[in-house]
Amino acid sequence: LAWVLGGLHQGPAYHPQDRLPIIRARILVTEGSPASLQAARQILDAYIQYMERHHMRFYLVEGLILQALALAGLGQAEQALATLASVVQLAVPKGIVGRFIQRGQPMQRLLQEFCSHPAYSEQAPQARLLLAAFPSADTAAQAEPAGESLSERECDVLRLMAEGLSNKAIAQRLLISAYTVRNHTVNIFGKLQVENRLQAVERARALGLLSKVVHG
């Protein structure tokens, strides 16, 4: 994440072999904090504009998918769905499905919301084709035993994460290194089967884990 943020001030120099902008955007979207999502949007705005000008459909699809997820994470639901509408229309006729599946449950949930929205009823059949390609799993049943296996320190990190603290602030509060906080965060994501902070907090609340954390 530090590597990503350190390169945000650099000007874009896009070409088909330049994967750094999209890699940075992926990391920031996965981080899921408001600051990282805003930073991802800045990268993706420039990336999408470039790919549109040069008619690079495959790369444009990837950028729009990440942009939709970033908007959804920032609570801008209508913009997220509008962006998703454009990428569904662009991708499905060309059989571009894998890019959606790679984004996992966040994209699956966004597609489900898209299908149920009356404004996008005409495109819902295309979105359902994408949803049908996702692997089915009872995520709630999987997450509950995983959540019970969180360590006391992971619970501490999760509680502070729910308060909106950054990794650095969590490290200062718990008197541990930011590197250790990152490791705990990775473990939390794996055990709760989520991909970012917002999902972790949402899943923890659903499972009642935030009331079980240790205040030490």
Side-chain angles (χ1 to χ4, degrees):
L1 184 60
W3 168 77
V4 171
L5 295 173
L8 290 182
H9 62 282
Q10 300 173 2
Y14 301 127
H15 52 79
Q17 287 74 42
D18 181 12
R19 301 300 291 159
L20 286 182
I22 207 70
I23 290 170
R24 293 180 191 276
R26 284 179 188 169
I27 293 170
L28 290 165
V29 170
T30 301
E31 170 67 13
S33 68
S36 68
L37 292 172
Q38 289 287 5
R41 284 203 61 193
Q42 293 177 12
I43 293 175
L44 291 165
D45 283 344
Y47 183 87
I48 290 167
Q49 290 174 17
Y50 179 90
M51 296 307 167
E52 285 178 333
R53 286 198 305 269
H54 292 80
H55 308 289
M56 295 181 178
R57 183 188 298 265
F58 186 79
Y59 298 104
L60 177 58
V61 165
E62 186 174 16
L64 287 169
I65 286 171
L66 288 170
Q67 187 75 295
L69 290 173
L71 288 165
L74 288 167
Q76 299 175 29
E78 292 300 322
Q79 287 182 262
L81 293 178
T83 302
L84 188 58
S86 64
V87 71
V88 166
Q89 185 174 3
L90 184 68
V92 173
K94 296 295 183 180
I96 303 175
V97 176
R99 292 296 183 187
F100 292 87
I101 298 173
Q102 286 173 356
R103 305 323 304 167
Q105 293 176 22
M107 176 51 64
Q108 189 174 22
R109 287 194 294 269
L110 192 58
L111 283 168
Q112 290 168 343
E113 184 178 349
F114 180 85
C115 288
S116 64
H117 198 292
Y120 303 105
S121 57
E122 292 185 4
Q123 290 177 273
Q126 291 181 315
R128 291 192 187 100
L129 289 175
L130 293 171
L131 281 171
F134 280 80
S136 59
D138 188 350
T139 54
Q142 294 173 3
E144 187 163 357
E148 293 297 331
S149 68
L150 290 178
S151 70
E152 291 184 356
R153 182 55 84 191
E154 287 165 355
C155 286
D156 289 336
V157 171
L158 186 57
R159 172 178 58 83
L160 297 175
M161 193 183 297
E163 293 178 9
L165 273 64
S166 66
N167 283 1
K168 182 178 180 181
I170 292 173
Q172 292 173 343
R173 183 78 67 87
L174 298 178
L175 302 178
I176 56 179
S177 70
Y179 178 83
T180 300
V181 173
R182 187 189 69 177
N183 287 343
H184 285 315
T185 301
V186 170
N187 291 337
I188 290 168
F189 288 0
K191 290 179 179 181
L192 296 181
Q193 299 177 7
V194 297
E195 297 188 18
N196 58 50
R197 285 167 160 256
L198 293 177
Q199 293 173 30
V201 172
E202 180 181 320
R203 181 67 56 79
R205 286 195 177 117
L207 297 173
L209 295 176
L210 294 182
S211 62
K212 301 177 183 179
V213 295
V214 177
H215 298 266

